[in-house]
Amino acid sequence: MAEELRLDPQAIDEIVELCDTMLGTLREAARQAGNLADAPSFGGFASAQALRAGFVRKARGTPASLYERLEQFQAVLSDMRATFAAGGDGFLAAEYDWAERLRAANQEEQ
């Protein structure tokens, strides 16, 4: 891709700061989502145990679970932050890569 994107230093600093804020939020959300896998018993009936198993599976342990999705978003956002911190060079090429990574993660779910 021959196109280039140039950002002024102030815009880069603002974007990196926003990325840092979002990464902190995602880390905290992932920490809390990881705790969801420790759900207490839903009761002794087989249906209650099946309900708990489904809840835990949606919380953590599969590519489509909440914890793993948050981890995937963190990885992509970290890459975006690094690209912007480098001055925006290569953003257009990296943008395509991020979209492909998110699309691939979404297809794993299906």
Side-chain angles (χ1 to χ4, degrees), residues 4-97:
E4 290 185 25
L5 175 69
R6 299 283 179 211
L7 298 171
D8 64 62
Q10 181 181 356
I12 291 170
D13 290 344
E14 290 175 12
I15 293 169
V16 169
E17 186 177 327
L18 286 170
C19 288
D20 287 340
T21 299
M22 290 188 297
L23 282 167
T25 301
L26 286 171
R27 284 186 194 105
E28 177 60 19
R31 186 190 65 74
Q32 291 180 13
N35 293 337
L36 294 174
D38 297 328
S41 172
F42 286 11
F45 294 111
S47 61
Q49 293 172 359
L51 179 63
R52 182 188 180 282
F55 181 83
V56 169
R57 187 174 49 255
K58 288 180 180 182
R60 188 172 191 163
T62 69
S65 67
L66 176 60
Y67 179 83
E68 279 71 14
R69 284 294 188 198
L70 290 169
E71 291 289 311
Q72 293 164 3
F73 292 151
Q74 280 184 66
V76 171
L77 186 56
S78 291
D79 288 348
M80 287 175 61
R81 184 202 180 281
T83 299
F84 281 114
D89 292 336
F91 174 75
L92 295 174
E95 180 181 31
Y96 176 78
D97 182 54

